[in-house]
């Protein structure tokens, strides 16, 4: 059976965060035992003064010296991991007892599927019929196929992309990962029976609070025209979106690149995607 490395990011500076970490670890361990797989847990702790102690088997705590950055800290976790699969996870998740059974079953029966995400029934916007009639659904759309708060990636993913782009400190990190997968023709899917509950907004790794600010000069016009208030009210999210477009191109350019990549992939020439989906 394969081994899974659960890589969890946290800033444990209060009891409620510690309790959330413990619930995350506990529910994961129960699911690993049910799935009869080997596992390890790597807690990437951004609170350098954390004094909390854990009574958790196979747990290693790593406290980087650097300031927190989502992709940087995940890369640190991956560099210390010793497993075939990496589970890149927020700490504000609760794993269903059968989620890893379902995930592992899909992965073992579909060896070309190297990256998957679980389903949070309360948050996913895919059609109910599609979720009920498929064990997994291939795709790269954020919050539909790909959930940035929990991704299971085979080590071959990192052999291809080398590492996550550390310029993405938090926002649009999942969008960048989705583009990387498509660039290297790596299949990703939502596993519809792998249930993980995301306790939205309770994670300690991001900060959504902003005072009023002036929109950056490079703010994409489309988010203003289409009134993307959830982005327009968050300076860091806007900065993440600007970085995303600086790297991959305008929305129109990205659409063209993905159309061309999808076309050649259907012809069995997906290896050409890396020359089509270019970035800065």
């Amino acid at each position: 059976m394969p081994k899974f490395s659960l890589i969890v990011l946290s800033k444990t500076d209060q009891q409620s965060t510690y309790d959330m970490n413990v619930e995350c670890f506990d529910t994961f361990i129960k699911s690993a035992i049910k799935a009869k797989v080997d596992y390890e847990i790597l807690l990437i702790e951004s609170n350098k003064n954390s004094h909390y102690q854990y009574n958790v088997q196979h747990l290693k705590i790593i406290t980087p010296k650097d300031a927190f950055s989502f992709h940087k800290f995940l890369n640190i976790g991956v560099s210390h991991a010793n497993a075939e699969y990496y589970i890149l996870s927020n700490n504000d998740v609760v794993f269903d007892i059968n989620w890893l059974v379902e995930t592992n079953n899909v992965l073992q029966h579909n060896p070309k599927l190297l990256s998957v995400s679980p389903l949070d029934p309360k948050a996913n916007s895919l059609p109910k019929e599609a979720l009920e009639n498929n064990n997994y659904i291939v795709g790269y759309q954020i919050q539909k196929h790909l959930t940035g708060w929990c991704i299971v990636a085979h080590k071959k993913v990192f052999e291809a992309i080398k590492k996550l782009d550390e310029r993405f400190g938090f926002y649009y990190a999942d969008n960048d990962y989705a583009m990387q997968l498509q660039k290297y023709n790596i299949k990703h899917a939502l596993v519809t029976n792998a249930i993980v509950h995301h306790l939205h907004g309770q994670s300690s790794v991001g900060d959504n609070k902003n005072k009023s600010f002036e929109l950056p000069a490079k703010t994409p016009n489309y988010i203003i025209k289409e009134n993307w208030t959830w982005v327009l009210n968050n300076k860091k999210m806007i900065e993440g979106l600007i970085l995303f477009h600086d790297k991959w191109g305008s929305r129109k350019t990205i659409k063209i690149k993905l159309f061309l990549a999808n076309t050649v992939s259907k012809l069995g020439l997906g290896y050409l995607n890396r020359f089509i989906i270019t970035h800065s």
Side-chain angles (χ1 to χ4, degrees):
M1 296 295 286
K3 183 176 180 179
F4 290 81
S5 293
L6 175 66
I7 301 170
V8 177
L9 308 188
S10 180
K11 181 180 180 182
T12 315
D13 53 6
Q14 55 187 334
Q15 184 66 38
S16 60
T17 304
Y18 170 79
D19 293 340
M20 186 162 56
N21 293 348
V22 170
E23 183 175 34
C24 173
F25 301 156
D26 182 58
T27 55
F28 170 74
I29 291 171
K30 289 177 180 176
S31 73
I33 293 172
K34 182 71 178 292
K36 299 180 181 179
V37 298
D38 292 330
Y39 71 90
E40 64 178 358
I41 301 174
L42 302 176
L43 173 61
I44 315 303
E45 177 60 69
S46 57
N47 179 12
K48 298 177 179 61
N49 299 314
S50 178
H51 62 277
Y52 294 94
Q53 301 294 318
Y54 297 87
N55 182 23
V56 176
Q57 285 189 327
H58 309 303
L59 171 66
K60 181 177 182 180
I61 301 175
I62 300 167
T63 307
K65 296 179 180 179
D66 300 325
F68 173 78
S69 172
F70 193 69
H71 270 178
K72 179 183 287 187
F73 276 36
L74 285 176
N75 282 335
I76 291 172
V78 168
S79 71
H80 285 82
N82 181 29
E84 184 177 353
Y85 290 96
Y86 310 134
I87 303 170
L88 313 178
S89 181
N90 282 18
N91 59 340
D92 60 341
V93 298
V94 177
F95 296 97
D96 182 84
I97 187 67
N98 289 313
W99 92 279
L100 198 49
V101 170
E102 298 292 344
T103 297
N104 191 44
N105 182 58
V106 167
L107 290 171
Q108 298 310 312
H109 286 87
N110 301 276
K112 292 184 178 181
L113 198 57
L114 298 180
S115 178
V116 299
S117 287
L119 171 72
D120 182 344
K122 302 187 303 298
N124 194 282
S125 56
L126 284 172
K128 183 178 180 180
E129 184 177 352
L131 296 174
E132 292 177 345
N133 294 334
N134 296 279
N135 290 330
Y136 66 95
I137 303 173
V138 174
Y140 303 89
Q141 288 183 272
I142 306 303
Q143 299 304 340
K144 289 186 177 181
H145 310 98
L146 196 154
T147 54
W149 42 266
C150 187
I151 295 169
V152 183
H154 193 282
K155 63 182 181 181
K156 289 181 180 178
V157 172
F158 283 83
E159 291 172 3
I161 70 173
K162 305 308 179 186
K163 65 178 183 178
L164 302 169
D165 189 338
E166 295 183 359
R167 291 178 292 176
F168 290 88
F170 189 72
Y171 294 108
Y172 283 85
D174 46 1
N175 300 74
D176 181 69
Y177 176 73
M179 291 295 292
Q180 287 278 62
L181 292 180
Q182 292 170 93
K183 176 180 177 66
Y184 290 99
N185 195 34
I186 298 170
K187 284 189 176 182
H188 176 90
L190 175 78
V191 181
T192 58
N193 294 318
I195 307 301
V196 176
H197 303 283
H198 181 212
L199 311 176
H200 300 274
Q202 297 184 37
S203 176
S204 59
V205 298
D207 183 4
N208 299 331
K209 298 177 181 178
N210 286 291
K211 298 177 181 178
S212 68
F213 60 91
E214 184 176 345
L215 291 178
K218 296 176 73 174
T219 301
N221 287 330
Y222 71 84
I223 71 169
I224 300 173
K225 291 180 179 179
E226 298 172 17
N227 195 30
W228 287 26
T229 55
W230 67 96
V231 178
L232 292 169
N233 293 330
N234 190 321
K235 185 177 181 181
K236 289 184 179 180
M237 190 176 288
I238 292 176
E239 291 171 350
L241 178 58
I242 291 172
L243 174 60
F244 177 76
H245 284 305
D246 282 347
K247 177 176 180 178
W248 296 104
S250 67
R251 184 161 70 163
K252 181 178 180 180
T253 298
I254 292 172
K255 186 176 181 179
I256 292 171
K257 289 178 180 179
L258 294 179
F259 173 78
L260 292 173
N262 186 53
T263 300
V264 300
S265 293
K266 289 180 179 178
L267 296 173
L269 302 172
Y271 63 90
L272 294 175
N273 285 5
R274 67 189 63 192
F275 305 109
I276 297 170
I277 306 177
T278 56
H279 61 75
S280 61

